[in-house]
């Protein structure tokens, strides 16, 4: 791995995982995302071509942030428009997180009730979910939301472009607002997208009525 100030800021266990993959360098988008995500307190949009390493750009620093304290509630909430994408990302994140002792969970219509009960009983680590399943959590298990997400550090929205200007996007905005009302604090949002023509529009969508930091 070539010398990198940003890479050096990642947790030692995360750096070890990168070395074990045989990577000789991080991609530019991954380098650039490390510092702002680790510093927290602001929203980030990671826009790059398909297969450019956006998932790792988000989760290498996110996992570095939560590895020392992954328990107590879900610490990172990943929202995807597609169950198939959740399943794919679950496999990728499990490979990273099994070395960090960070639990990774899925929640959608094809996930068993037993797995969902485990999340509710022992919320921790990273939860991958669709907007519709998150909506169902609010409706059916509203009293559990505060405990489930009380220590949430990050919300990651994948395929951001698919939500902008749609009814589903309005639903997502409402869910994110409701989530922050429940936990009573601002949660940094990290958006991933391969196709964004207007970054200002994307920023306004991700955090309505607030400029992207």
């Amino acid at each position: 791995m070539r010398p990198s100030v940003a890479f050096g800021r990642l947790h030692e266990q995360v750096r070890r995982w990168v070395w074990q993959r045989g990577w000789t360098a991080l991609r530019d988008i991954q380098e650039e995302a490390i510092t702002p995500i680790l510093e927290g307190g602001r929203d980030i949009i990671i826009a790059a071509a398909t297969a450019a390493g956006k998932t790792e750009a988000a989760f290498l620093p996110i996992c570095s942030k939560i590895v020392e304290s992954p328990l107590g509630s879900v610490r990172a909430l990943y929202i995807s428009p597609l169950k198939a994408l959740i399943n794919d990302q679950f496999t990728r994140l499990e490979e990273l997180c099994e070395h960090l002792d960070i639990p990774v969970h899925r929640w959608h219509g094809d996930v068993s009730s037993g797995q969902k009960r485990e999340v509710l009983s022992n919320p921790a680590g990273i939860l991958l979910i669709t907007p519709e399943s998150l909506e169902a959590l609010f409706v059916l298990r509203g009293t559990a939301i505060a405990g489930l997400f009380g220590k949430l550090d990050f919300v990651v929205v994948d395929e951001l472009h698919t939500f902008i200007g749609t009814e589903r996007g309005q639903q997502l905005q409402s869910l994110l607002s409701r989530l922050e009302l429940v936990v009573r604090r601002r949660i940094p949002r990290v958006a991933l997208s391969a196709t964004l023509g207007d970054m200002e529009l994307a920023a306004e969508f991700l955090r309505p009525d607030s400029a992207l930091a």
Side-chain angles (χ1 to χ4, degrees):
M1 176 67 66
R2 294 199 301 265
S4 162
V5 173
F7 179 73
R9 298 193 65 183
L10 295 174
H11 190 276
E12 179 184 359
Q13 290 176 257
V14 176
R15 298 200 308 268
R16 185 178 298 118
W17 181 86
V18 172
W19 291 326
Q20 290 172 347
R21 302 282 78 73
W23 296 3
T24 59
L26 296 179
R27 298 181 181 183
D28 289 345
I29 196 70
Q30 295 164 348
E31 286 270 358
E32 293 169 6
I34 290 172
T35 295
I37 291 177
L38 285 179
E39 289 179 349
R42 53 178 165 166
D43 303 325
I44 306 293
I45 295 177
I46 300 174
T50 300
K54 294 186 295 296
T55 299
E56 290 76 14
F59 280 98
L60 291 179
I62 285 175
C63 288
S64 292
K65 188 83 170 180
I66 69 176
V67 66
E68 298 289 359
S69 182
L71 308 179
S73 91
V74 172
R75 306 306 295 268
L77 178 65
Y78 167 95
I79 302 174
S80 164
L82 299 172
K83 290 188 291 185
L85 182 56
I86 283 177
N87 294 336
D88 177 66
Q89 298 289 47
F90 176 79
T91 300
R92 295 176 68 179
L93 289 175
E94 261 205 327
E95 182 185 359
L96 167 62
C97 291
E98 68 180 357
H99 298 282
L100 308 175
D101 292 325
I102 297 175
V104 184
H105 308 280
R106 287 175 289 186
W107 190 299
H108 56 61
D110 296 336
V111 175
S112 73
S113 58
Q115 290 173 298
K116 292 176 179 177
R117 283 195 299 270
E118 173 62 23
V119 176
L120 292 169
S121 299
N122 300 291
I126 300 170
L127 177 63
L128 292 74
I129 198 167
T130 62
E132 290 74 21
S133 290
L134 184 58
E135 178 77 50
L137 269 176
F138 272 98
V139 173
L140 301 176
R141 303 179 184 273
T143 57
I145 295 295
L148 191 60
F149 300 114
K151 295 184 178 181
L152 187 66
D153 292 302
F154 299 96
V155 171
V156 179
V157 179
D158 207 349
E159 300 291 321
L160 181 70
H161 60 279
T162 67
F163 292 108
I164 297 174
T166 68
E167 290 185 8
R168 203 177 187 202
Q170 293 176 338
Q171 176 198 30
L172 176 61
Q173 288 175 319
S174 174
L175 288 168
L176 296 182
S177 176
R178 288 155 65 187
L179 183 59
E180 292 189 343
L181 285 173
V182 170
V183 302
R184 299 182 179 182
R185 58 188 172 82
R186 186 181 187 274
I187 304 166
R189 301 173 185 177
V190 180
L192 313 179
S193 184
T195 54
L196 284 175
D198 187 333
M199 291 296 289
E200 290 188 7
L201 177 64
E204 173 62 24
F205 173 85
L206 184 62
R207 180 80 62 176
D209 304 318
S210 177
L212 187 71

